[in-house]
Amino acid sequence: MAAAAASPALKRLDLRDPAALFETHGAEEIRGLERQVRAEIEHKKEELRQMVGERYRDLIEAADTIGQMRRCAEGLLGAVRATDRYCARLRRAGSAAPRPPRAPQPQPSQEEFYSMAAQIKLLLEIPEKIWSAMEASQYLHATQLYLLCCHLHSLLQLDSSSSRYSPILSRFPILIRQVAAASHFRSTILHESKMLLKCQAVADQAVAEALCSIMLLEESSPRQALADFLLARKAAIQKLLNQPHHGAGIKAQICSLVELLATTLNQAHALFYTLPEGLLPDPSLPCGLLFSTLETITGQQPTGKGIGVLQEEMKLCSWFKYLPASIVEFQPALRTLAHPISQEYLKDTLQKWIHMCNEDIKTGIATLLMYVKSMKGLAGIRDAVWELLTTESTSHSWDMVCGRLLEKPLLLWEDLMQQLFLDRLQTLTKEGFDSISTSSKELLVSALQELESCTSTSPPNKHIHFEHNMSLFLWAESANDLPSDAAWVSVANRGQLGRSGLSMKAQAVSPCVQTFSSALDSKLKVKLDDFLTYLPSGDSSLSKEVTPKQAKNCAFDRYGDAGTVQEMLRTHSVACIRHITDYIRAELQSIEAAVQGQQDALGSGKLHAALFMARLCQSLAELCPHLRQCILGQSGSSEKPVRDSRALKKQGKGKPQEVVPTQAQWQEVKELLLQQSVMGYRAWSSAVVHVLAHGFAQSLLLDDAGSILATATSWDELEIQEEAESGSSVTSKIRLPTQPSWYVQSFLFSLCQEINRVGGHALPKVTLQEMLKSCMVQVVAAYEKFSEEKQMKKEGAFPMTQNRALQLLYDLRYLNIVLTTRGEEVKCARSKQDSRIEKVTDDLEALIDPFDLDVFTPHLNSNLHRLVQRTSVLFGLVTGTENQFTPRSTAFNSQEPHNILPLASSQIRFGLLPLSMTSTRKAKSTRSIDSKAQAAIH
C-alpha cells in the first residue's frame, strides 16, 4: 500500500537529475525517496512473477490440447486409409464374380407399391412447397396444396382413428411427424389471408384469392366472406386511427384513411357485385372477381387437360407417373354452392358497415385534428384529400360504383370530414383571437399604468412625454416625417402601409398609439395570413368560374365553405375588438368618475390615459388595415378607406342603396371605436371645461375695484353726429369697448391651449361642439349667478356702473358669438340656451340708459363683428370652422381703417392673418383708457 501510495509522488519527481534532487531535498527526504523507489522496484518484480506464472499455465494447457488434436487427426487418417483398402478389395472381388441374371419386370402388386411410394414422396415434399407459396404470398396456391395434403392423408389412411396401427406408419414412422406438421398449416394460412385483407395497397386479385382461401379452409359462404372482408377493413381503420401521432404524419394518416375507405368500396364492387342479366361487363370496371376465381379453382377440368394443383410442380419428376388419377386431377371443392350475393343484401350490408365506421372515423379524425395547430396545416390536409380523391385512379367510375352498391353517392368529404375541419377551424380561430385580445389588453394595461404613474414633470421616455403634451410631438421634426420615396411616389400610389411621420402628425396619432396599433396589426396579419391559406387565392369571383368539365372531374368543392370560414373570421375579429373596447369603456368610466369635480385634474395621469385611449380608438380602424381585411374579406384590402365617407355621403344624397352585410359590420366596428373615442375625449373635455369655467366664474364674481381695474381693457372713442332740436347737427364723442375683458380672453386662450395641447385639429367635430356648448352653459350659469348677486345688493359691494354693464354685455355677446356653433344639428338644442342668454342680456341692458343703448348698439355690433374676425385665427378651433371661413359680402368703407386682410368671396384654405393697428387708432386707444378706467370707478 505504501508503495502504491508513493507511486504517484514518484511520478511527479524527476529522478533522472540527481543534482537537482539533492538541491531541492534534504538528507532525510533523500533517504525517504530511496526507500520509496526500492519499494516500487520490489512491487514491480512481484507483479512480473505473477504475470509469468499465470501465462505459463495457460501455455502448458494449450500445448496439451495441440498434442491431443494431433493424435486424433492421425487416428482419423489411419481409419480412412483402412477404409480405402477394404473398398479396393471389395471391388477386385466383385469384378471376378459371375454377373447375375436380369431382374423381372415389376408385377401389378409392385405398381401399387410404387403408387404408394409416390404418394409418400409427394406428401413429404408438399410442406416445403406450402412454405414457398406462403413466402411468395400465394395463399390460394398454399391452400390448394394443403387440401391436397389432406386428401393424401385420407388416401393413405393417415388421419383415421386407427392410424397408429396403419401398416404404412409402421413401415414409415417419419409420417407421424409429417402429419403433425401439416396440421398447423390451416391456421397459418387463415391468419396470413386475414392479415392480407387488412392491407389497403393490395390488388383486387390478391384479395379475391385470400377470400377464396378463407372460404375453402373454413367452408364458408360468399356472405360470410363479405362479412370477413368488411370486419378486416374496420379493424384496419381502427388500427390506422390509433397509430402514434407525430405532427407531419397527421396528413398521411387522414389520407390513408380516405384511401382505405375508397379502396374498400371499389374492391367490394370488384369482388362481390354481379351484373344483372343482359348487361355487358365493362372492362374498365371489373366485378364478380370472387365468384370467377372460385369457379376457376373448384371447376372440373376437361379430360386430358391440365393436372390440377400439381400441373406445374411435379410434371418433370420420374415418380409422377405412378400417382393415382384422384391426386393428379385433384381440385378443391366447397360443400355448398357459392351463390352470388343479391344487390339488396350487398347494399344493406355496406350501409350498415359505413354507419358502424362513421362514429369511429369522426372521433378518430377529430382526435387527429387536435394535433394540427394552424389553418395552414388544415388546408394542407384538405388539399391532400382533394388531390387524392381527384386523381384518375381513385375517382374513376366512383359515382357508378356508389350507385351500384349504395344507390346513392358517398361524399367522403362532405359527410365525414368537412364539419370536423370547420369545428377545428372554429377552435383555432377562437384561441387565436382570444390570445390577440388578451395580449392587446395586457399591452394596453401596461401603457395605461405607465401613463398614470408618471407625471408630466418627470416622464420616463420621450413617447410618454409626447402623450402628456401632444403639441411637442406635432411640432418636433424627425427623420421619418417624409418617406424616402416622397420625391417620386405620389400619396395615392403609396398605399396604407407607406404612411409618413408627417401624416401621423396630421392625424395627431402619437407614437404610443402607433406602437399599440402596429403590434395589434402584426398579430392580425399573422392570423389573417394563416386564414388565407384555407381560402381561395385571389379574387373570390374568379375561383367560382369553374367549367362544368372541371367541376365534374373534381371530387368535391374544397372552397365550398369559404363563406362560412370568412364569416367565422369576421365574427371573431369583431368579438376581439369588442373585448378591447369593453375594457376601454370600463377604464374610461372609472376615469370619468375619478376626475369629476377635481380642480387639479388637468395635470393628472388619468386624463392622459383617457386621451391615449381616445386617440387609440379614433385611429385604430385606419392604422390596422388587416382588421379591415379580416372583417371585409379579401375585397376589403383593395378598397381605400378614404372613400368610405364619400360613398356614405353619396348614398345619403341619392336613393337608398342596399348595404352589404360585411360593410355594415365594418361600419358598426368603426362606430363602436368612434363612440369610445368620443367617450374618452368627453372625459377630458368635461374636466377642462370644469376647471376653466370655475376660474372664469371666480374672476367674473370678483367685486372689488382692484380686480375690476385689473380685468379692464381698452375702449374706443368715436365721434357721432346727432341732430339737435333746432335742426342743426351736433357732434359728440362716445366710448365703447373694443376688446373683451382679460378674464374672457384668458378663458378662451386657455381653452385654445388645452385643445392644441391634445392635437385639436384631429378632435372629432362632435367633441368640439359638445365642449363649446358646455363652455357656453358654464359661462351663462356664471353670468346668471352674477346677476343674482347684484340683485341681492349686498352691503359693501361695488356698485354696478353703466360702463361695467356695457363691458359685461360686450363680453357676453362676444362669448355667445365665439362659443356658439352654427351647425344645423344643434339648432334644436340651442333654443333653451338662447332664452337664458336673452334673460341675462336683458338684465345687463336694464343697467344701461335706453337712449345710450340705442346709440351704442350699432357701433357695438360693428366692434363685435370686427373683433370676431380679428380673433378668429388667434383662438383657432374654438371659433369653429363655420366662423373662420364666412364669406364677406359687404363693401369696404374707405374712411374706416381695418386691421385684417380682406376675406375672399369663396372658402379659403388658411385662416385670417391679424395685422397691427394704425398709429392713430393706437393713440386714441391710449388716450381713452384713462377716462374709461375713471368712468368705471365712478
Side-chain angles (χ1 to χ4, degrees):
M1 294 298 294
S7 178
L10 290 175
K11 290 180 181 179
R12 292 192 296 267
L13 297 175
D14 190 2
L15 301 180
R16 292 175 298 181
D17 190 0
L21 192 63
F22 278 95
E23 288 177 359
T24 57
H25 298 81
E28 293 298 330
E29 294 177 349
I30 294 296
R31 291 189 184 95
L33 289 175
E34 182 184 5
R35 288 191 296 271
Q36 293 178 7
V37 171
R38 291 185 183 279
E40 183 70 19
I41 291 172
E42 292 298 329
H43 180 68
K44 295 296 182 183
K45 286 182 179 179
E46 183 62 26
E47 287 184 354
L48 183 61
R49 290 191 195 99
Q50 293 178 1
M51 182 180 68
V52 172
E54 292 176 357
R55 297 295 182 268
Y56 183 70
R57 287 193 297 270
D58 295 341
L59 180 62
I60 291 175
E61 292 177 358
D64 293 342
T65 304
I66 292 172
Q68 186 178 1
M69 292 173 61
R70 184 175 63 252
R71 288 190 298 272
C72 182
E74 289 175 355
L76 183 62
L77 287 174
V80 170
R81 292 190 189 99
T83 304
D84 289 341
R85 288 192 299 269
Y86 181 74
C87 291
R89 287 197 302 268
L90 289 178
R91 283 195 298 271
R92 287 194 300 270
S95 60
R99 180 168 299 180
R102 178 173 298 179
Q105 295 296 327
Q107 298 301 323
S109 61
Q110 292 179 342
E111 289 286 346
E112 294 178 0
F113 177 77
Y114 290 159
S115 174
M116 184 177 297
Q119 294 178 41
I120 294 174
K121 174 66 174 177
L122 178 61
L123 186 62
L124 293 177
E125 290 190 1
I126 280 180
E128 181 181 355
K129 296 184 180 299
I130 291 178
W131 285 120
S132 299
M134 294 285 290
E135 291 177 357
S137 299
Q138 298 175 359
Y139 304 119
L140 182 57
H141 183 55
T143 302
Q144 291 175 299
L145 291 174
Y146 170 74
L147 294 176
L148 177 61
C149 183
C150 295
H151 181 63
L152 285 172
H153 288 173
S154 63
L155 290 177
L156 297 176
Q157 299 179 356
L158 300 181
D159 55 352
S160 63
S161 60
S162 60
S163 59
R164 288 184 177 271
Y165 307 101
S166 173
I168 298 176
L169 289 179
S170 62
R171 294 183 181 182
F172 303 99
I174 194 174
L175 295 180
I176 298 176
R177 184 178 299 176
Q178 199 72 9
V179 172
S183 63
H184 300 290
F185 284 129
R186 181 178 183 276
S187 60
T188 304
I189 297 174
L190 281 175
H191 175 73
E192 295 297 329
S193 298
K194 291 181 178 180
M195 290 299 295
L196 180 69
L197 296 180
K198 296 180 182 180
C199 301
Q200 60 183 13
V202 182
D204 298 345
Q205 183 62 39
V207 177
E209 292 180 358
L211 287 173
C212 287
S213 299
I214 296 173
M215 292 178 65
L216 291 173
L217 293 176
E218 294 184 345
E219 297 181 353
S220 58
S221 63
R223 292 190 176 187
Q224 184 62 38
L226 174 61
D228 292 339
F229 172 72
L230 295 179
L231 286 176
R233 290 305 170 92
K234 185 177 185 297
I237 290 173
Q238 292 177 346
K239 180 182 178 181
L240 188 61
L241 292 175
N242 294 328
Q243 286 181 357
H245 311 307
H246 305 286
I250 303 297
K251 182 199 297 185
Q253 284 183 255
I254 294 180
C255 289
S256 299
L257 178 63
V258 173
E259 186 177 4
L260 180 59
L261 288 172
T263 305
T264 300
L265 281 182
N266 285 324
Q267 289 183 347
H269 177 272
L271 296 172
F272 301 100
Y273 181 79
T274 54
L275 286 173
E277 296 182 1
L279 290 180
L280 296 177
D282 185 2
S284 62
L285 195 63
C287 59
L289 193 58
L290 176 66
F291 303 102
S292 61
T293 305
L294 278 176
E295 184 179 357
T296 303
I297 296 301
T298 61
Q300 298 295 327
Q301 297 290 339
T303 305
K305 292 185 179 180
I307 52 175
V309 179
L310 303 177
Q311 183 176 4
E312 298 296 333
E313 282 77 5
M314 306 299 179
K315 185 169 61 175
L316 300 179
C317 296
S318 60
W319 47 267
F320 177 75
K321 59 185 178 180
Y322 297 109
L323 291 174
S326 62
I327 295 177
V328 173
E329 299 176 359
F330 173 78
Q331 285 185 337
L334 291 173
R335 287 188 177 183
T336 59
L337 295 177
H339 294 288
I341 300 176
S342 64
Q343 295 184 5
E344 189 67 24
Y345 180 82
L346 183 61
K347 180 188 71 171
D348 294 340
T349 306
L350 287 175
Q351 287 180 350
K352 291 178 181 178
W353 178 80
I354 293 173
H355 180 72
M356 182 173 55
C357 296
N358 194 9
E359 292 301 324
D360 293 340
I361 292 173
K362 288 184 177 180
T363 305
I365 293 180
T367 305
L368 290 175
L369 293 181
M370 292 295 293
Y371 296 91
V372 182
K373 301 298 183 182
S374 64
M375 285 76 168
K376 184 177 181 181
L378 290 175
I381 296 174
R382 179 203 59 190
D383 294 343
V385 172
W386 181 82
E387 292 175 0
L388 176 65
L389 295 179
T390 309
T391 54
E392 185 66 25
S393 60
T394 306
S395 63
H396 176 67
S397 304
W398 173 255
D399 294 337
M400 185 179 294
V401 169
C402 293
R404 287 180 175 180
L405 296 179
L406 305 175
E407 297 182 358
K408 64 178 181 179
L410 177 60
L411 306 176
L412 296 178
W413 170 256
E414 291 83 350
D415 295 341
L416 294 179
M417 290 180 286
Q418 185 176 25
Q419 189 58 43
L420 298 176
F421 274 67
L422 290 178
D423 293 342
R424 184 57 183 164
L425 272 176
Q426 179 80 11
T427 303
L428 289 176
T429 306
K430 186 178 185 303
E431 292 176 354
F433 279 98
D434 286 348
S435 175
I436 291 175
S437 60
T438 303
S439 60
S440 300
K441 181 181 176 181
E442 292 175 355
L443 183 61
L444 185 60
V445 168
S446 62
L448 295 180
Q449 290 177 352
E450 192 174 5
L451 282 171
E452 293 180 4
S453 61
C454 301
T455 60
S456 59
T457 57
S458 58
N461 55 50
K462 183 170 63 174
H463 290 175
I464 300 299
H465 193 34
F466 288 157
E467 288 293 336
H468 290 170
N469 191 351
M470 180 61 71
S471 59
L472 297 178
F473 167 67
L474 297 177
W475 297 104
E477 294 185 358
S478 60
N480 61 345
D481 280 348
L482 290 177
S484 58
D485 56 354
W488 55 84
V489 178
S490 63
V491 178
N493 297 329
R494 185 167 292 121
Q496 297 180 0
L497 300 180
R499 296 187 182 92
S500 62
L502 199 59
S503 64
M504 294 293 99
K505 292 178 181 179
Q507 300 174 21
V509 180
S510 62
C512 291
V513 173
Q514 296 180 37
T515 303
F516 182 90
S517 302
S518 176
L520 177 59
D521 190 59
S522 62
K523 295 171 187 175
L524 290 174
K525 181 181 184 300
V526 172
K527 181 57 64 176
L528 181 62
D529 291 343
D530 193 17
F531 246 98
L532 291 179
T533 58
Y534 200 85
L535 297 173
S537 59
D539 191 3
S540 60
S541 61
L542 295 178
S543 62
K544 295 180 181 179
E545 296 178 0
V546 182
T547 61
K549 184 178 181 181
Q550 293 174 345
K552 184 178 180 181
N553 293 332
C554 294
F556 59 89
D557 185 6
R558 53 177 167 172
Y559 300 123
D561 53 0
T564 305
V565 176
Q566 287 181 350
E567 182 62 28
M568 190 185 305
L569 173 62
R570 187 179 305 113
T571 302
H572 287 283
S573 302
V574 174
C576 176
I577 296 301
R578 288 187 181 277
H579 181 75
I580 296 175
T581 53
D582 289 343
Y583 175 76
I584 290 177
R585 182 187 301 109
E587 287 294 319
L588 289 177
Q589 289 175 353
S590 63
I591 291 174
E592 190 172 4
V595 301
Q596 189 175 7
Q598 293 186 1
Q599 297 300 324
D600 56 347
L602 295 184
S604 66
K606 291 188 175 295
L607 274 189
H608 299 316
L611 287 171
F612 167 73
M613 289 185 284
R615 296 189 194 102
L616 178 63
C617 294
Q618 184 181 14
S619 56
L620 196 62
E622 186 174 355
L623 294 183
C624 294
H626 293 96
L627 173 62
R628 173 189 179 89
Q629 194 172 352
C630 286
I631 298 176
L632 293 181
Q634 296 183 6
S635 59
S637 58
S638 59
E639 300 175 3
K640 295 184 178 180
V642 183
R643 298 180 180 177
D644 289 348
S645 59
R646 298 178 182 176
L648 290 175
K649 289 180 180 179
K650 290 181 180 180
Q651 291 179 7
K653 291 181 180 179
K655 296 181 179 179
Q657 301 180 359
E658 294 184 0
V659 180
V660 183
T662 57
Q663 290 284 350
Q665 285 190 346
W666 174 240
Q667 291 300 326
E668 289 179 3
V669 171
K670 291 172 65 177
E671 291 175 1
L672 178 64
L673 291 172
L674 183 59
Q675 289 174 4
Q676 304 309 313
S677 175
V678 171
M679 184 178 179
Y681 282 124
R682 185 180 294 118
W684 162 79
S685 63
S686 60
V688 170
V689 170
H690 176 77
V691 173
L692 296 183
H694 181 74
F696 173 82
Q698 285 184 339
S699 300
L700 177 63
L701 297 177
L702 290 176
D703 223 5
D704 57 297
S707 300
I708 296 174
L709 285 176
T711 58
T713 54
S714 63
W715 284 42
D716 192 10
E717 185 176 336
L718 298 176
E719 293 183 357
I720 60 173
Q721 292 183 355
E722 297 177 329
E723 186 176 355
E725 295 180 356
S726 59
S728 60
S729 61
V730 179
T731 302
S732 60
K733 294 182 178 181
I734 59 174
R735 291 189 297 276
L736 295 175
T738 58
Q739 294 183 5
S741 300
W742 286 120
Y743 59 84
V744 174
Q745 298 185 44
S746 177
F747 170 71
L748 293 176
F749 186 71
S750 299
L751 187 61
C752 288
Q753 277 187 319
E754 294 300 328
I755 293 176
N756 291 324
R757 191 188 304 275
V758 300
H761 61 283
L763 287 177
K765 182 179 179 182
V766 61
T767 300
L768 282 175
Q769 290 177 351
E770 290 180 357
M771 193 173 188
L772 296 181
K773 181 181 177 182
S774 301
C775 287
M776 196 60 205
V777 170
Q778 297 291 336
V779 166
V780 174
Y783 274 98
E784 288 176 347
K785 187 175 181 181
F786 176 80
S787 300
E788 292 175 359
E789 290 184 358
K790 288 305 176 182
Q791 291 176 2
M792 293 173 63
K793 296 182 180 180
K794 296 181 180 180
E795 295 182 0
F798 193 81
M800 175 64 70
T801 61
Q802 178 173 322
N803 288 346
R804 188 182 179 194
L806 194 59
Q807 180 68 48
L808 291 174
L809 180 63
Y810 187 80
D811 293 343
L812 178 59
R813 294 182 62 185
Y814 174 67
L815 287 172
N816 187 27
I817 294 174
V818 171
L819 298 179
T820 302
T821 58
R822 298 294 186 267
E824 295 181 359
E825 64 276 6
V826 294
K827 284 185 177 180
C828 297
R830 287 173 49 198
S831 58
K832 185 177 180 181
Q833 182 69 25
D834 291 343
S835 62
R836 296 176 60 190
I837 295 174
E838 290 177 0
K839 184 177 182 303
V840 176
T841 303
D842 293 340
D843 294 340
L844 293 176
E845 289 180 349
L847 301 175
I848 305 173
D849 183 79
F851 175 76
D852 293 341
L853 183 61
D854 293 338
V855 176
F856 295 160
T857 298
H859 302 286
L860 198 65
N861 292 337
S862 178
N863 288 349
L864 275 174
H865 184 68
R866 191 162 48 246
L867 178 64
V868 169
Q869 291 179 339
R870 186 186 302 142
T871 58
S872 60
V873 176
L874 178 64
F875 292 139
L877 293 169
V878 173
T879 59
T881 56
E882 298 87 357
N883 298 334
Q884 289 186 28
F885 307 130
T886 304
R888 185 172 182 177
S889 57
T890 57
F892 293 107
N893 189 356
S894 59
Q895 297 178 358
E896 182 181 0
H898 295 277
N899 69 331
I900 58 173
L901 289 177
L903 291 172
S905 59
S906 60
Q907 279 196 349
I908 55 177
R909 182 174 181 182
F910 299 101
L912 304 176
L913 302 177
L915 298 178
S916 61
M917 299 177 65
T918 59
S919 57
T920 306
R921 195 170 188 83
K922 283 184 179 180
K924 288 185 179 181
S925 300
T926 305
R927 287 194 302 269
S928 62
I929 189 169
D930 297 332
S931 59
K932 186 193 310 181
Q934 293 175 1
I937 295 174
H938 295 295

